[in-house]
Amino acid sequence: MNLASLPAEQRDELELLVRELHAREHCRFRRLFPDDGPLSRAHYPQQMAFFEAGARYKERLFMAANRVGKSEAGAFELVCHATGRYPDWWTGRRFAAPIEAWACGTTGETTRDIVQEKLLGPVTDPDAGMVPRHLVVKTTLRPGRPNAIESIHVAHTSGGVSVIGLKSYEQGRPSFEGTAKHVVWCDEEPPQDCYTEMLFRTATTGGIVYTTFTPLQGRSAVVNGFLEADETAATVKTVIQAGWDDVPHLPADEKAALLATTPPHQLAARTKGEPLLGAGAVYPIAEADILCDTFAVPDEWPRAYAMDVGWNRTAVVWGARDPGGNVLYLYSTHYQGQGEPPTHADAIRARGAWMSGVIDPAGAGSSQIDGRSLIDLYTKLGLKLSPAENSVETGITQVWTLLVSGRLKIMRHLTDWLREFRNYHRDDKGRGTIVKREDHLMDATRYLVVSGVALMRVAPKAEPKDRSALARSWAWG
């Protein structure tokens, strides 16, 4: 066909149609995660793992560094669900019918400038949005905020229409009440009360809630809900972590420039997706700097243990000192609630009845069981115990000095110890008081460093059971 021979009006219509087809074929949604090339999905394993996890888990957290594409991943998945247009490689959750969804941000302004722009593109370039422009049926404006969208109506492959509502956490928990949702995407970390309300909105639909953010709020309730999920919760929720090393699109010079201007205490969060150590952390040091791989403690290393006692929780930590490097290693813990002294004593003796230990000096007082001293009780149960020095700030200073100098290491299998370490903090009311909540192993560690190290000794060599038989074997040569 000779376009020049067509009337001008038809020629203009045809050119518009060609541009429209090109825009549809090359829209952002279709360009992401291609089969091959330097930005192929094979180079984004964490994003692929995040999508795939949606088939098994109701709740997902993509806890990632800045600039790794976490929001793009969140927007991409939401568009898959809203349109019903899943790529051939998709192994995550699928919805066969139109959905009701929320896409949420921190404030009305950031929801408009980040979440809305990810989905629809900037006002000046609607083709840059994740939702293909030709599938946007209509949008409704949010009153009182210029250029802010309240809802996006998206054409679904079934012939129906999905609705994506744009929400912000600043609207408060009550704004998330009422309506059932199939999908909720939280871009940036939500408050716990809002997050809980969102979960209930998916209860009747069998829906999903997924969250994408850089953990700059540290070990918040939402973060801990994923990182410390118990056995039951772990069946419905999972976390995928990603850092700069997990993506190919960040140039080295850009990373260097960002590193040069990032505050040191934010580096782990912004480059690795690790929760930020809060300003109130008692021991503000990265876990990577204090953890070591688990190994069998040599017999010639001296050892001791320390106890923090209580009815709700009794905690014991064992330490061994490397005589050559003068490094103290924490290698075992006992962590049990509402147990009787014989139960705890059995667990302690099982790790070496010959060992000496120190105990919370409160143990020298009366037991809640029958008025006897806990130290007396445990001594009669076969333990070698002495009261520990309990000067809190002095002990914390000594522990901190060992940590930052590399002379106190924690074997990485001590999950109970790590959980307490992550939450061990001072109050935020300006007093600097230690928050006394789930700190039993932290107290025991302090007792061990201050008082237990002096009691450390090497395990005695086993005596032959039958000396006369051994003597006879020597006599007969």
Side-chain angles (χ1 to χ4, degrees), residues 408-425:
L408 175 57
K409 295 293 185 180
I410 293 82
M411 294 192 185
R412 64 179 70 254
H413 71 279
L414 301 183
T415 54
D416 290 324
W417 192 97
L418 285 170
R419 182 172 62 251
E420 285 199 5
F421 170 81
R422 291 162 181 158
N423 293 299
Y424 196 39
H425 66 284

Side-chain angles (χ1 to χ4, degrees), residues 123-443:
V123 175
T124 56
D125 186 10
D127 287 326
M130 195 68 71
V131 183
R133 182 164 54 90
H134 68 284
L135 297 180
V136 177
V137 177
K138 71 172 183 177
T139 59
T140 59
L141 292 173
R142 180 172 297 281
R145 192 175 295 276
N147 299 320
I149 300 298
E150 187 169 55
S151 64
I152 309 168
H153 296 243
V154 182
H156 190 271
T157 55
S158 65
V161 176
S162 295
V163 180
I164 302 172
L166 276 66
K167 306 276 287 184
S168 69
Y169 312 141
E170 72 175 358
Q171 295 174 269
R173 183 200 59 78
S175 70
F176 293 95
E177 294 176 347
T179 56
K181 300 296 172 188
H182 299 91
V183 179
V184 179
W185 167 37
C186 298
D187 189 56
E188 299 308 335
E189 183 176 354
Q192 180 65 58
D193 60 342
C194 292
Y195 183 79
T196 301
E197 199 65 48
M198 295 173 199
L199 282 176
F200 276 90
R201 301 288 70 78
T202 64
T204 59
T205 64
I208 56 175
V209 178
Y210 63 90
T211 308
T212 56
F213 62 77
T214 298
L216 293 173
Q217 296 184 43
R219 300 286 301 209
S220 65
V222 172
V223 170
N224 282 339
F226 282 90
L227 296 183
E228 300 176 4
D230 59 28
E231 187 174 348
T232 301
T235 63
V236 296
K237 62 198 306 179
T238 189
V239 57
I240 304 295
Q241 194 169 341
W244 283 1
D245 292 338
D246 297 310
V247 297
H249 61 262
L250 288 173
D253 57 346
E254 183 177 352
K255 289 192 285 188
L258 289 171
L259 286 172
T261 58
T262 300
H265 70 283
Q266 293 185 1
L267 282 174
R270 293 195 180 276
T271 66
K272 299 179 182 179
E274 295 178 359
L276 183 69
L277 289 169
V282 175
Y283 301 126
I285 186 170
E287 291 179 19
D289 294 336
I290 64 173
L291 291 179
C292 68
D293 292 334
T294 299
F295 61 89
V297 177
D299 292 339
E300 62 271 18
W301 288 15
R303 315 182 194 198
Y305 64 88
M307 294 180 67
D308 184 65
V309 295
W311 173 249
N312 290 328
R313 181 73 60 185
T314 290
V316 188
V317 63
W318 280 262
R321 181 173 55 82
D322 175 6
N326 199 28
V327 176
L328 176 62
Y329 291 86
L330 304 188
Y331 67 90
S332 186
T333 62
H334 168 71
Y335 200 66
Q336 183 178 342
Q338 301 184 354
E340 299 285 349
T343 302
H344 303 308
D346 286 345
I348 294 170
R349 288 198 306 269
R351 290 167 171 83
W354 55 269
M355 244 184 289
S356 296
V358 292
I359 187 172
D360 176 358
S366 297
S367 163
Q368 294 182 352
I369 300 172
D370 58 7
R372 289 178 292 166
S373 162
L374 280 173
I375 290 183
D376 291 342
L377 278 173
Y378 280 115
T379 299
K380 291 178 180 178
L381 290 169
L383 303 188
K384 300 176 177 63
L385 284 172
S386 303
E389 169 63 39
N390 191 23
S391 176
V392 177
E393 292 300 331
T394 298
I396 286 174
T397 299
Q398 291 188 32
V399 172
W400 173 245
T401 299
L402 292 181
L403 287 171
V404 297
S405 65
R407 290 183 290 138
L408 175 57
K409 295 293 185 180
I410 293 82
M411 294 192 185
R412 64 179 70 254
H413 71 279
L414 301 183
T415 54
D416 290 324
W417 192 97
L418 285 170
R419 182 172 62 251
E420 285 199 5
F421 170 81
R422 291 162 181 158
N423 293 299
Y424 196 39
H425 66 284
R426 300 179 187 273
D427 66 33
D428 57 0
K429 299 179 174 59
R431 297 192 299 266
T433 306
I434 301 291
V435 176
K436 296 297 293 178
R437 184 172 62 246
E438 295 186 359
D439 61 349
H440 310 286
L441 285 168
M442 295 298 98
D443 284 347

Side-chain angles (χ1 to χ4, degrees), residues 449-462:
V449 167
V450 174
S451 304
V453 170
L455 301 178
M456 285 183 165
R457 63 191 184 100
V458 176
K461 294 183 179 180

